[in-house]
Amino acid sequence: GDNANFMKQAVPFGFYKALTVYTYLLGDALPMKPLGKSVPEGIWGNVPSYVPWLLDETPMGKRFYAEFKKRIGHPAPSYMAPAAYDETYVLKYAIEKAKSFEPKDIAKAMENMTGDYILGKVTIREIDHQAMVPVIVGRTVWDEGLGYMAIKRDTKVLWPDKYPDLYHSPEEIKKLRGG
């Protein structure tokens, strides 16, 4: 998309040498694979929680990752495949908890629901139905096995329980909503 086009065009102008750059979706297969080695190493950014090296750290992640590689033949999915997989389980758990297919019942069942997902235990907050997932921040490095610039393994994984400022607090949300 636009991020990939921008990154391609920025290299000849020395953009990455002149500035410290921070960008979203850095290291994910979808925007980075088409760029190959055209983007320099060492760019700062964050990725959704589903980076390949984090996928194989939980039982559900290991199952998903092994099956993905077997069926698709690619070493790493974009964040969208494991996110959709987890979202399906969120819905499954909520329907089971609600014992209903009614949207209002399902939404209510999700409040403060904790389940086992690819990333491990994740809780969905009552106030905003936000899944409290980690944010991964780091620099790009060429990964020969993946065939694209990826976030390094020694990257900082910010878990919501250890970094309370990662998401708005319930009090901040109430204030932002005017209440």
Side-chain angles (χ1 to χ4, degrees):
D2 292 338
N3 194 20
N5 287 332
F6 176 82
M7 293 173 92
K8 273 186 193 175
Q9 294 171 27
V11 171
F13 290 101
F15 184 76
Y16 298 108
K17 291 178 184 171
L19 299 168
T20 299
V21 176
Y22 183 91
T23 186
Y24 180 67
L25 276 183
L26 196 64
D28 184 66
L30 195 61
M32 298 306 283
K33 191 159 181 67
L35 294 172
K37 291 186 177 180
S38 69
V39 175
E41 290 186 319
I43 299 172
W44 281 99
N46 73 304
V47 290
S49 307
Y50 303 99
V51 291
W53 48 263
L54 194 58
L55 291 179
D56 61 6
E57 292 188 6
T58 66
M60 187 181 275
K62 286 178 184 172
R63 282 192 314 272
F64 170 82
Y65 197 36
E67 191 64 26
F68 182 89
K69 287 188 285 189
K70 184 174 112 185
R71 288 181 186 219
I72 306 300
H74 187 272
S78 167
Y79 75 94
M80 289 185 266
Y85 187 86
D86 269 354
E87 290 157 4
T88 301
Y89 272 92
V90 167
L91 188 57
K92 174 191 181 294
Y93 295 151
I95 290 169
E96 288 172 350
K97 184 179 171 186
K99 295 180 172 82
S100 169
F101 289 100
E102 290 300 318
K104 287 182 181 180
D105 296 337
I106 294 168
K108 185 70 178 158
M110 285 183 188
E111 294 176 356
N112 292 319
M113 184 177 77
T114 299
D116 289 311
Y117 303 100
I118 288 175
L119 297 171
K121 293 241 183 263
V122 173
T123 298
I124 299 175
R125 291 197 307 197
E126 178 179 358
I127 192 164
D128 59 356
H129 294 180
Q130 171 68 52
M132 303 305 286
V133 297
V135 174
I136 298 163
V137 179
R139 289 179 184 246
T140 53
V141 63
W142 178 255
D143 187 312
E144 199 62 48
L146 296 175
Y148 61 87
M149 291 288 180
I151 295 290
K152 300 189 319 184
R153 277 189 178 262
D154 63 351
T155 295
K156 189 78 170 165
V157 179
L158 308 175
W159 290 93
D161 59 333
K162 296 199 174 40
Y163 294 89
D165 293 339
L166 196 56
Y167 293 96
H168 286 298
S169 70
E171 294 76 26
E172 290 171 317
I173 292 168
K174 287 176 190 171
K175 186 176 178 184
L176 289 167
R177 290 178 175 170

